[in-house]
Amino acid sequence: MRKIALLTSGGDAPGMNACIRAIVLTCLRYGIEVYGYRHGYNGLLDQEYLNLRAKNVLNIIQRGGTILRSARCLTFKSDDAAKIAAKNLDILGIDALMVIGGDGSFRGAKHLSNHWGGQVIGLPGTIDNDIYGTDATIGYYTAIETALSSIDKVRDTADAFERIFLIEVMGRHAGFIGLNAAIASAADQIMVPELQRSCEDELQNIINHIDAVKRRRGTSSYIVVITENLWPEGVTKLAETLTEKTQIECRPVILGHVQRGGSPVSQDRVLATKMGAFAVESAMAGETGVMITEVNQQVQCAPLEVSWSKQKELDPYLVKIQQDLFDLLKRP
Ligand code: F6P
């Protein structure tokens, strides 16, 4: 193993820099040259790269975003693009490519491996935590913290006005951030894709719950955490509907991309460092077509296809607790 290249792709996630740092330093420890492609797969197509040295990764562990920049590269789906990438990797003499990103980026890595003889390794980096086969993804814990600190702040103003707030969190089509941020902030209700009923049922359920809670504790703040892309007409419309139906002011708050930024929390830095170092050692051991996962604190390799083979489930016990607490709030 003489040369390793890496890139960050798709939605950036806090901890990607920590992962880049771990890969670079582990490579240097083993005397491997390391190159970073910029702007995701685009950099691979455009030969936009830099030789990474220890000084490039100094003081980056605490920084959000990615020093290599990121992008979504739709053209990479074509065979022609994968062939160009393969040629460019060969020109540079790369033995293994590391891709830090989500399942879309992993599909890109798999596609590349059909056209390139080098080794390909994926590292799960996404705030959504929607990658099957690993307990957590890099960036997920920080996103929960960011959502949580915002929900706590909204609770203050919600309490002051005794209003309903709908807080939209990211997650693409997965409720991991939503469920965990809701539990940690003692939100009154959650709406996540995994537990979704029909829109009419969802709406009626919230209205009934608000009524029951009001009977039990009088007028008070009421917080609903809702995953993005869930309500067909959007949360602003849902807030209007709730205001009309309950006669209590309801405001929408869309947390958006703030959840992708910020300094990574320690869990993300440690996970990123562990996975980054393990990725290099796995490449040295000859692994290819795999992603790095962590299951019960054991870092390991799994085929890239595992990441999209099944839908990752929410922790059923956490779901049960959340539902039990809702029911408790309703009791007279
Ligand atoms: O996958 C990460 C993510 O932040 C999702 O939570 C969200 O749906 C999406 O990316 C947003 O993408 P973009 O930055 O392209 O708007």
Side-chain angles (χ1 to χ4, degrees), residues 11 72 126-128 170-172 228-229 257 260:
R72 302 189 199 278
T126 165
I127 62 165
D128 302 332
M170 277 189 166
R172 202 164 47 148
E228 63 177 345
N229 304 318
H257 290 77
R260 286 233 298 255

Side-chain angles (χ1 to χ4, degrees), residues 9-264:
S9 161
D12 54 292
M16 280 185 165
N17 280 328
C19 191
I20 294 169
R21 173 180 176 272
I23 292 173
V24 170
L25 296 182
T26 310
C27 281
L28 298 179
R29 177 198 181 291
Y30 288 116
I32 301 168
E33 260 186 81
V34 54
Y35 291 83
Y37 284 101
R38 286 167 55 83
H39 302 113
Y41 287 108
N42 292 319
L44 198 48
L45 299 177
D46 302 340
Q47 284 288 44
E48 192 195 354
Y49 63 83
L50 68 159
N51 184 208
L52 290 167
R53 300 172 198 279
K55 69 171 192 295
N56 297 106
V57 296
L58 199 66
N59 291 332
I60 66 164
I61 198 167
Q62 74 278 24
R63 284 170 53 190
T66 155
I67 58 164
L68 291 176
R69 308 289 184 251
S70 192
R72 302 189 199 278
C73 179
L74 294 179
T75 52
F76 201 72
K77 288 185 177 163
S78 74
D79 287 344
D80 284 351
K83 283 177 194 158
I84 293 171
K87 195 173 106 222
N88 288 345
L89 285 160
D90 286 340
I91 290 171
L92 208 54
I94 301 298
D95 299 299
L97 175 72
M98 317 252 155
V99 174
I100 309 170
D103 70 326
S105 308
F106 286 2
R107 284 176 202 265
K110 182 70 191 166
H111 177 54
L112 173 66
S113 71
N114 295 331
H115 298 273
W116 183 52
Q119 293 163 250
V120 177
I121 296 189
L123 294 104
T126 165
I127 62 165
D128 302 332
N129 194 31
D130 57 350
I131 294 193
Y132 188 82
T134 185
D135 289 346
T137 54
I138 297 163
Y140 164 56
Y141 293 114
T142 307
I144 296 172
E145 286 301 320
T146 304
L148 174 60
S149 74
S150 302
I151 298 169
D152 284 348
K153 291 183 178 87
V154 171
R155 176 68 86 176
D156 291 342
T157 175
D159 263 346
F161 272 78
E162 295 172 342
R163 275 175 172 160
I164 303 168
F165 270 86
L166 291 178
I167 305 184
E168 184 188 280
V169 296
M170 277 189 166
R172 202 164 47 148
H173 301 294
F176 296 97
I177 299 175
L179 175 63
N180 284 273
I183 294 261
S185 63
D188 302 281
Q189 184 72 265
I190 55 166
M191 291 171 74
V192 292
E194 293 84 345
L195 307 177
Q196 199 184 5
R197 287 164 284 199
S198 71
C199 286
E200 299 88 73
D201 288 354
E202 276 303 349
L203 190 61
Q204 203 48 56
N205 180 47
I206 299 182
I207 293 167
N208 292 347
H209 196 250
I210 290 170
D211 275 354
V213 169
K214 195 170 155 192
R215 277 198 303 277
R216 185 182 158 93
R217 66 183 185 203
T219 51
S220 66
S221 64
Y222 187 94
I223 291 200
V224 183
V225 174
I226 173 169
T227 302
E228 63 177 345
N229 304 318
L230 192 143
W231 198 254
E233 296 162 304
V235 285
T236 305
K237 181 72 188 143
L238 179 57
E240 282 167 17
T241 309
L242 279 175
T243 303
E244 194 188 303
K245 301 255 182 213
T246 62
Q247 293 299 302
I248 303 171
E249 282 181 315
C250 178
R251 296 278 190 270
V253 175
I254 299 173
L255 295 185
H257 290 77
V258 292
Q259 294 159 98
R260 286 233 298 255
S263 182

